[in-house]
Amino acid sequence: MPHEVDALVVGAGFSGLYSMHKLRGLGLSTVILEKGDGVGGTWYWNRYPGARCDVESPYYSYSFDEDLQQDWEWTERYPAQPELLKYINHVADRFDLRKDIFFETTVVSAVFDESTERWTVTSIGPDGGSVISAKYCIMATGCLSSARMPDIPGINSFTGRLLHTGMWPHEEVDFTGQRVGVIGTGSSGIQAIPMIAKQAKNLQVFQRTANFSVPAFNGPIDQEWFAKIKANYPELRERSRHTAMGIPYQRRNQAAVDISEDERRAVFEEHWPKGGFRISSCFNDLMRNKESNDSLSDFVRAKIEQTVTDPKTAELLKPYGYPITGKRICVDTDYYATFNRENVQLIDVKSDPIVEITPTGVRTESNFYELDALVVATGFDAMTGAMLRMDIRGRDGASLREHWDAGARTYLGVAIAGFPNLFTIAGPGSPSVLSNMLTSIEQHVEWITDHLAYLQAKGYETSEATTASEAGWVEHVRELADQTLFPTANSWYLGANVPGKPRVFMPYVGGVGTYRAHCEGVAAREYEGFALK
C-alpha cells in the first residue's frame, strides 16, 4: 500500500469504481480502500435470498462507455444480486481497476492536516494498520451500507442462526425444514420473505409497520425490448439525466385531482401491469396533493385485499398513516401472495410487541415463537451511517460527527463546510435514494472530477464549501421537502429508523434533472459557493 497518493476513495461499489476510472483519467494516482474482500458495495454485502434491484437492468448500469453497455447482456428485467455482482466484477476487470484496490481494509479515521493541506487516512487491513496521505478524499461509502441491528433485549443470546439481510453470508443458507423468523418488512424483508417461505417448515413474519409494495412482474428480459434500448441508448440515457428519478419514463403531465375517481382508477389499472415504479409516475401530483396520494394508496390497498385470502391478514398488511412513496416504494415478486401459504404467519408487533429474544426464539407480550433461525431485516443507518463510523476531522480538528450532530449538512450533497478536498458521492442533500442510483452516481462522479480538473488547471490547492452556501443548500432542501408529503412519513429518509438520530429530511426532492441543472450552474459560475485557495 502506498504512503502517499493524489486521491483516496473509500468504497469499491459502483461509485468507487467509477471514481477510480475518472480520477485515473485526470492523471491522479488513486487507491480505493474497501472493507469487503471484493468489489460490489451494496451488491457485495446484500446477498440475502431474493435480493434484487428495483430499477430495470438496462438502466441500472453504467452509461459512460458505449462498448460496455452494448456488450453486456442482461438476463432478467430486474437484475438479481448475483448478476449485478457479476456485472460489477466485469467492470473492475475490463477497466483494470482491481490492481489499485486494497480489500479487507477498514478506514478508521481521516484527518485534514492544515500544514500540508492533505488528508491523513488511517486504516486497518490484513497486514495491520496503515496510514496514507492524500490530497483528495472521496467518500464512496454508499447510502445503504451501514447495517443496523435492532435494539431488542437478548438478541445476542439467540443460539440458533442469526442473520442480517445487509450482512449475509457468502455461502448459501438452507432453511429447509426449519422454523424461521423474520423481523422487519421493509424492502429487504419483502424480497426475502417469499424466498424463505419456499424452504422453511414454517415462517413467522414480525411486522411493526406495513409497507407499500408493488409487483415487479419480473421475468427473463424481453430481447426485442432490450435491442430497442441498445439502439437508442444515447437518447434514453440523456433523457434519464433530466427526469425526476433518473429513469427514462415519461411522467404523465396531469394531476390526479383534475379528473374523476373512476378516471384515476382507470389510469392506475393501466400502469399496474407495467410493474415497478411506473405506478408512481402516472400523475404529477402524487407527492404534493394528499387527495391524489390517498387515491393511489386506496388502489394499492385494494390490490392487497384481492391478493391475500385471509381478511384479517390482508388488513394487517395494508399500510396506513403515511403517504404511498413517502417511504421508497418496495418492488416485489409474490410478497402478498406468500401470506396465503399455510406455513407463513404474520405477527403484528404493534399490537403485540416483542419483549425479548431468548436463546430459542422470540417472545412477545402474549406469545412465544420457538425458532431455529432468525433473520433481521431492519435496514441501515441510511445516508450518514457509513461516514460517521469513521472519525473524520476537518479544519481546526472539527469532527464531522459534531458538525452533523443536529442533522446532516452538505453543499449540493457533495461537499461539507470546513472539510476541504473531501467529497461525498450521492450524499445527504442530493437526489440519491429518491432516484436511479446509477444515474445519480455517474452525475456526482463526473461533477467532482470536473471540479478537480478545474482546480488543477487554475492552480488551486484546496476547495471547500462555504458555511453560507452549505446553510443555504440545507434550507433549500428542507423547503422543497416541506412542499411535499415526504416529511409526513416516519421513514429512514428522516433517520426515523435509528433511535436518537436527528430527524432531518436528507434527500433532495426536486428531481435528478433539476438537481443536475443546479450543479451545472454552480460549475458555470466558477464553482460558486466554494472557497478555492
Side-chain angles (χ1 to χ4, degrees), residues 193-222:
I193 285 163
M195 302 297 290
I196 296 172
K198 292 176 182 178
Q199 285 189 338
K201 177 182 179 182
N202 52 58
L203 174 62
Q204 317 287 345
V205 177
F206 298 89
Q207 174 188 273
R208 183 179 61 184
T209 304
N211 268 288
F212 286 103
S213 190
V214 296
F217 295 111
N218 187 44
I221 199 163
D222 183 319

Side-chain angles (χ1 to χ4, degrees), residues 54-55 60 244-247 277 328 430-441 493 508 511-512:
D54 55 9
V55 174
Y60 195 84
M245 292 185 63
I247 308 169
F277 292 139
R328 184 162 176 138
S430 75
S432 58
V433 293
L434 295 179
S435 69
N436 174 3
M437 287 298 299
L438 263 291
T439 305
S440 288
I441 284 168
Y493 297 153
Y508 177 83
V512 167

Side-chain angles (χ1 to χ4, degrees), residues 517-529:
H518 272 291
C519 292
E520 289 176 350
V522 166
R525 293 186 293 274
E526 298 190 344
Y527 296 96
E528 178 183 65

Side-chain angles (χ1 to χ4, degrees), residues 400-409 501-504:
L400 180 64
R401 180 170 291 280
E402 291 178 4
H403 188 69
W404 283 0
D405 186 55
R409 303 175 61 81
K501 187 170 182 175
R503 299 290 182 93
V504 176

Side-chain angles (χ1 to χ4, degrees), residues 85-277:
L85 194 59
K86 181 180 178 182
Y87 172 75
I88 199 167
N89 272 282
H90 169 78
V91 171
D93 293 333
R94 184 173 183 134
F95 297 97
D96 195 25
L97 303 175
R98 213 177 291 273
K99 65 182 182 182
D100 292 314
I101 304 174
F102 293 87
F103 295 107
E104 298 179 84
T105 301
T106 301
V107 174
V108 176
S109 65
V111 179
F112 185 70
D113 185 335
E114 293 185 63
S115 64
T116 62
E117 296 186 320
R118 296 178 68 86
W119 284 92
T120 300
V121 180
T122 304
S123 62
I124 299 174
D127 300 322
S130 299
V131 178
I132 300 179
S133 171
K135 184 172 185 178
Y136 305 112
C137 198
I138 315 294
M139 292 295 170
T141 47
C143 297
L144 299 173
S145 56
S146 181
R148 182 185 167 273
M149 293 296 285
D151 302 318
I152 302 174
I155 191 165
N156 294 321
S157 72
F158 184 65
T159 56
R161 189 152 197 190
L162 179 65
L163 300 155
H164 191 293
T165 48
M167 299 180 287
W168 204 261
H170 289 203
E171 71 274 10
E172 184 178 352
V173 178
D174 187 1
F175 294 107
T176 301
Q178 294 186 9
R179 299 162 299 178
V180 183
V182 175
I183 296 176
T185 53
S187 181
S188 54
I190 281 171
Q191 289 186 332
I193 285 163
M195 302 297 290
I196 296 172
K198 292 176 182 178
Q199 285 189 338
K201 177 182 179 182
N202 52 58
L203 174 62
Q204 317 287 345
V205 177
F206 298 89
Q207 174 188 273
R208 183 179 61 184
T209 304
N211 268 288
F212 286 103
S213 190
V214 296
F217 295 111
N218 187 44
I221 199 163
D222 183 319
Q223 292 300 326
E224 184 178 343
W225 173 70
F226 191 22
K228 287 180 181 177
I229 289 174
K230 282 191 171 186
N232 294 285
Y233 250 143
E235 176 192 340
L236 291 168
R237 297 293 200 181
E238 186 60 22
R239 187 193 305 167
S240 297
R241 296 177 187 119
H242 300 281
T243 61
M245 292 185 63
I247 308 169
Y249 300 159
Q250 294 288 1
R251 174 168 283 179
R252 186 184 178 91
N253 190 26
Q254 184 179 37
V257 290
D258 289 344
I259 59 177
S260 71
E261 186 63 37
D262 287 344
E263 289 174 302
R264 286 182 218 168
R265 194 176 300 108
V267 172
F268 293 148
E269 289 287 3
E270 176 192 344
H271 282 74
W272 185 257
K274 296 178 181 179
F277 292 139

